[in-house]
Coordinates of all heavy atoms in Angstrom, one line a residue:
Chain Z
Y64 N 7.6 17.7 -3.0 CA 6.2 17.5 -3.1 C 5.5 18.4 -2.1 O 6.0 18.6 -1.0 CB 5.7 16.1 -2.8 CG 6.5 15.0 -3.6 CD1 7.6 14.4 -3.1 CD2 6.0 14.7 -4.9 CE1 8.2 13.4 -3.8 CE2 6.6 13.7 -5.6 CZ 7.8 13.0 -5.1 OH 8.4 12.1 -5.8
N65 N 4.3 19.0 -2.5 CA 3.5 19.7 -1.6 C 2.1 19.1 -1.6 O 1.6 18.6 -2.7 CB 3.4 21.2 -2.0 CG 4.5 22.0 -1.4 OD1 5.4 21.4 -0.7 ND2 4.6 23.2 -1.7
V66 N 1.3 19.2 -0.5 CA 0.0 18.8 -0.5 C -0.9 19.8 0.3 O -0.3 20.7 1.0 CB -0.2 17.4 0.2 CG1 0.4 16.3 -0.6 CG2 0.4 17.5 1.7
S67 N -2.2 19.7 0.1 CA -3.1 20.5 0.8 C -4.4 19.7 1.0 O -4.6 18.8 0.2 CB -3.4 21.9 0.1 OG -4.0 21.6 -1.2
R68 N -5.2 20.0 2.0 CA -6.4 19.3 2.3 C -7.5 20.3 2.7 O -7.7 20.5 3.8 CB -6.2 18.3 3.4 CG -7.4 17.4 3.6 CD -7.4 16.1 2.9 NE -8.5 15.3 3.1 CZ -8.6 14.3 4.1 NH1 -7.6 14.2 4.9 NH2 -9.7 13.6 4.2
S69 N -8.1 20.9 1.6 CA -9.1 22.0 1.9 C -10.5 21.3 2.2 O -11.3 22.0 2.8 CB -9.2 22.9 0.8 OG -9.4 22.3 -0.4
T70 N -10.7 20.1 1.7 CA -12.0 19.4 1.9 C -11.7 18.0 2.4 O -10.5 17.5 2.1 CB -12.8 19.4 0.7 OG1 -12.2 18.6 -0.3 CG2 -13.1 20.8 0.1
T71 N -12.6 17.3 2.9 CA -12.4 15.9 3.3 C -12.2 15.0 2.1 O -11.5 14.1 2.1 CB -13.7 15.4 4.0 OG1 -13.9 16.2 5.2 CG2 -13.6 13.9 4.4
E72 N -12.8 15.4 0.9 CA -12.8 14.5 -0.2 C -11.5 14.6 -1.1 O -11.2 13.6 -1.7 CB -14.0 14.9 -1.2 CG -15.4 14.7 -0.6 CD -15.8 15.7 0.4 OE1 -15.2 16.8 0.4 OE2 -16.7 15.4 1.2
D73 N -10.9 15.7 -1.1 CA -9.8 15.9 -2.0 C -8.4 16.1 -1.4 O -8.3 16.8 -0.3 CB -10.1 17.2 -2.9 CG -11.3 17.1 -3.7 OD1 -11.4 16.1 -4.5 OD2 -12.2 17.9 -3.5
F74 N -7.4 15.5 -2.0 CA -6.1 15.6 -1.4 C -5.1 15.6 -2.6 O -4.4 14.6 -3.0 CB -5.8 14.3 -0.6 CG -4.6 14.4 0.3 CD1 -4.2 15.5 1.0 CD2 -3.7 13.3 0.4 CE1 -3.1 15.6 1.8 CE2 -2.6 13.4 1.1 CZ -2.2 14.5 1.8
P75 N -4.9 16.7 -3.3 CA -3.9 16.8 -4.4 C -2.5 16.8 -4.0 O -2.1 17.3 -2.9 CB -4.4 18.2 -5.1 CG -4.9 19.0 -3.9 CD -5.6 18.0 -3.0
L76 N -1.7 16.3 -4.9 CA -0.2 16.2 -4.7 C 0.4 17.1 -5.8 O 0.2 16.9 -6.9 CB 0.3 14.8 -4.8 CG 1.8 14.6 -4.7 CD1 2.2 14.8 -3.2 CD2 2.2 13.2 -5.1
R77 N 1.2 18.1 -5.3 CA 1.9 19.0 -6.3 C 3.4 18.7 -6.4 O 4.0 18.6 -5.4 CB 1.6 20.4 -5.8 CG 0.2 20.8 -5.8 CD 0.0 22.3 -5.5 NE -1.5 22.6 -5.4 CZ -2.2 22.4 -4.3 NH1 -1.6 21.9 -3.2 NH2 -3.4 22.7 -4.3
L78 N 3.8 18.6 -7.6 CA 5.2 18.6 -7.9 C 5.7 20.0 -8.3 O 5.2 20.5 -9.3 CB 5.6 17.5 -9.0 CG 5.6 16.1 -8.6 CD1 4.2 15.5 -8.3 CD2 6.2 15.3 -9.7
L79 N 6.5 20.6 -7.6 CA 6.8 22.0 -7.8 C 7.8 22.2 -9.0 O 7.6 23.1 -9.8 CB 7.4 22.6 -6.5 CG 6.6 22.4 -5.3 CD1 7.3 22.9 -4.1 CD2 5.2 23.0 -5.4
S80 N 8.8 21.3 -9.1 CA 9.8 21.4 -10.2 C 10.3 20.0 -10.4 O 11.1 19.5 -9.7 CB 10.9 22.3 -9.8 OG 11.9 22.3 -10.8
A81 N 9.6 19.3 -11.4 CA 9.8 17.9 -11.6 C 11.3 17.5 -11.9 O 12.0 18.3 -12.6 CB 9.0 17.4 -12.7
A82 N 11.7 16.4 -11.3 CA 13.1 15.9 -11.5 C 13.0 14.5 -11.9 O 12.0 13.8 -11.6 CB 13.9 16.0 -10.2
P83 N 14.0 14.0 -12.7 CA 13.9 12.6 -13.1 C 13.8 11.6 -12.0 O 13.2 10.5 -12.1 CB 15.3 12.4 -13.9 CG 15.6 13.8 -14.4 CD 15.1 14.7 -13.3
S84 N 14.3 11.9 -10.8 CA 14.2 11.0 -9.6 C 12.7 10.9 -9.2 O 12.4 10.0 -8.4 CB 15.0 11.6 -8.5 OG 14.5 12.9 -8.1
Q85 N 11.8 11.7 -9.7 CA 10.4 11.6 -9.3 C 9.6 10.7 -10.3 O 8.4 10.6 -10.1 CB 9.8 13.0 -9.3 CG 10.4 13.8 -8.1 CD 9.8 15.2 -8.0 OE1 9.8 16.0 -9.0 NE2 9.2 15.6 -6.8
T86 N 10.3 10.2 -11.2 CA 9.7 9.2 -12.1 C 9.3 8.0 -11.2 O 10.2 7.4 -10.6 CB 10.7 8.7 -13.2 OG1 10.9 9.8 -14.1 CG2 10.1 7.5 -14.0
S87 N 8.0 7.7 -11.2 CA 7.5 6.7 -10.3 C 6.0 6.4 -10.6 O 5.5 7.0 -11.5 CB 7.7 7.1 -8.9 OG 7.4 6.1 -7.9
V88 N 5.5 5.5 -9.8 CA 4.0 5.3 -9.8 C 3.5 5.8 -8.5 O 4.0 5.4 -7.4 CB 3.6 3.8 -10.0 CG1 2.1 3.7 -10.0 CG2 4.2 3.2 -11.3
Y89 N 2.5 6.7 -8.6 CA 2.0 7.3 -7.4 C 0.6 6.8 -7.0 O -0.2 6.7 -7.9 CB 1.9 8.8 -7.6 CG 3.3 9.5 -7.7 CD1 4.0 9.5 -8.9 CD2 3.9 10.0 -6.6 CE1 5.3 10.0 -9.0 CE2 5.2 10.6 -6.7 CZ 5.8 10.6 -7.9 OH 7.1 11.1 -8.0
F90 N 0.4 6.4 -5.8 CA -0.8 6.0 -5.3 C -1.4 6.9 -4.2 O -0.7 7.2 -3.3 CB -0.7 4.5 -4.7 CG -0.5 3.5 -5.8 CD1 0.7 3.0 -6.1 CD2 -1.6 3.0 -6.5 CE1 0.9 2.1 -7.1 CE2 -1.4 2.0 -7.5 CZ -0.2 1.6 -7.8
C91 N -2.7 7.2 -4.3 CA -3.4 7.8 -3.3 C -4.2 6.8 -2.5 O -4.7 5.8 -3.1 CB -4.3 8.9 -3.9 SG -5.3 9.8 -2.7
A92 N -4.4 7.0 -1.2 CA -5.1 6.0 -0.4 C -5.9 6.8 0.7 O -5.5 7.9 1.0 CB -4.2 5.0 0.2
S93 N -7.0 6.2 1.1 CA -7.7 6.7 2.2 C -8.1 5.7 3.2 O -8.2 4.5 2.9 CB -9.0 7.5 1.7 OG -9.9 6.5 1.2
S94 N -8.5 6.1 4.4 CA -8.9 5.1 5.4 C -9.6 5.9 6.6 O -9.5 7.1 6.7 CB -7.8 4.2 5.9 OG -7.0 4.9 6.8

Side-chain angles (χ1 to χ4, degrees):
Chain Z
Y64 308 95
N65 277 357
V66 292
S67 60
R68 185 94 180 269
S69 57
T70 67
T71 300
E72 295 78 18
D73 299 301
F74 191 47
L76 178 72
R77 297 183 185 84
L78 281 69
L79 306 175
S80 178
S84 61
Q85 294 179 305
T86 293
S87 188
V88 181
Y89 292 84
F90 287 98
C91 180
S93 72
S94 75

